[in-house]
Amino acid sequence: GENVEQHPSTLSVQEGDSAVIKCTYSDSASNYFPWYKQELGKRPQLIIDIRSNVGEKKDQRIAVTLNKTAKHFSLHITETQPEDSAVYFCAASISYGGSQGNLIFGKGTKLSVKP
Amino acid sequence: NAGVTQTPKFQVLKTGQSMTLQCAQDMNHNSMYWYRQDPGMGLRLIYYSASEGTTDKGEVPNGYNVSRLNKREFSLRLESAAPSQTSVYFCASSSRGWSGVGANVLTFGAGSRLTVL
C-alpha cells in the first residue's frame, strides 16, 4: 500500500523567513496530494492541495510543488508569521474511476515561527 | 451548519471497559472516517465508510468496531479498552465518490481525547 514519508519532523524559523516541508510517496498511482494544518488543540484543516496533472499551485503565501518522477511534493510558506505555527500534515491518495481513495498521511511537521 | 460533531470530547476508561464514540455530520457527505492521532505517528485511519451501508478496515482496525447508522452518523466502539488505545480520535467526512473540486477534502470533528488506565 501507499506510504508517505514527511521531513523534517520539527522546523523552527524566524518570522519573515521561508519554511519548506517535504514529503515522498511510494505508489506512483497516487494523484491527489493535500496539506492539512493543525493548530494546537484544534482539528486538522485543509490549506492547499494539488493534483498530479499540475506541477505547482499557489495560494497567497503558501505553495505546493509536485515532482511525479521523483515521487515527492513540498509545501512552501513564505514570509512566515507567528500564526503559521502549527503541525502540518501531507497526504496522498489514488483516484480510480470517479472516486478518490483514502488519504494516507505523513507523520507531521511541527513548525514554530519565532517572533 | 455544525459540520462534523463528535462526542464525548474527553473520556477516561479503565482497562477492559467498553465505550462508543459518536459522530454526526450535516453536510450530506457520503463518506465518513475514524482516525487516531498519536504523538509522532500522524493520523492513522482506523475504519471508514465509503457510503451508507458499507464499512471497511483502515490501517489500524484491531480492537475497534464501527457502525454506519445512517448517512449522517458513524460510531466507533471499543469493546475492551486497552492502554494502547489511549489517543485522540478524530471523525471526518468527505464527498468521496465525486471527482470534482473538493473531492475527498476531509472535514474533521473537534476530536475526542481518550485515556485508558
Side-chain angles (χ1 to χ4, degrees), chain A residues 95-108:
Chain A
S95 68
Y96 38 90
S99 178
Q100 287 285 347
N102 292 326
L103 289 176
I104 302 299
F105 285 89
K107 293 184 177 180

Side-chain angles (χ1 to χ4, degrees), chain A residues 4-5 14 21 35 38 41 66 74 90 92-93 101 109-110 113:
Chain A
V4 177
E5 301 278 344
Q14 289 294 134
I21 302 170
W35 288 86
Q38 185 181 28
L66 171 65
S74 300
C90 63
S93 73
T109 297
K110 183 177 181 180
V113 180

Side-chain angles (χ1 to χ4, degrees), chain A residues 32 36 38 41-46 49 51 87 89 93 96-108, chain B residues 2 4 33 35 37 40-43 45 48 59 90 96-106 108-110:
Chain A
Y32 174 64
Y36 283 77
Q38 185 181 28
K42 301 288 183 65
R43 71 195 76 189
Q45 290 188 298
L46 178 74
D49 57 10
R51 297 186 184 273
V87 177
F89 294 98
S93 73
Y96 38 90
S99 178
Q100 287 285 347
N102 292 326
L103 289 176
I104 302 299
F105 285 89
K107 293 184 177 180
Chain B
V4 178
Y33 312 81
Y35 285 88
Q37 183 176 27
M41 297 300 292
L43 294 157
L45 183 64
Y48 66 100
E59 302 166 74
F90 285 98
R96 170 187 183 147
W98 169 49
S99 58
V101 174
N104 218 27
V105 173
L106 296 180
F108 286 89

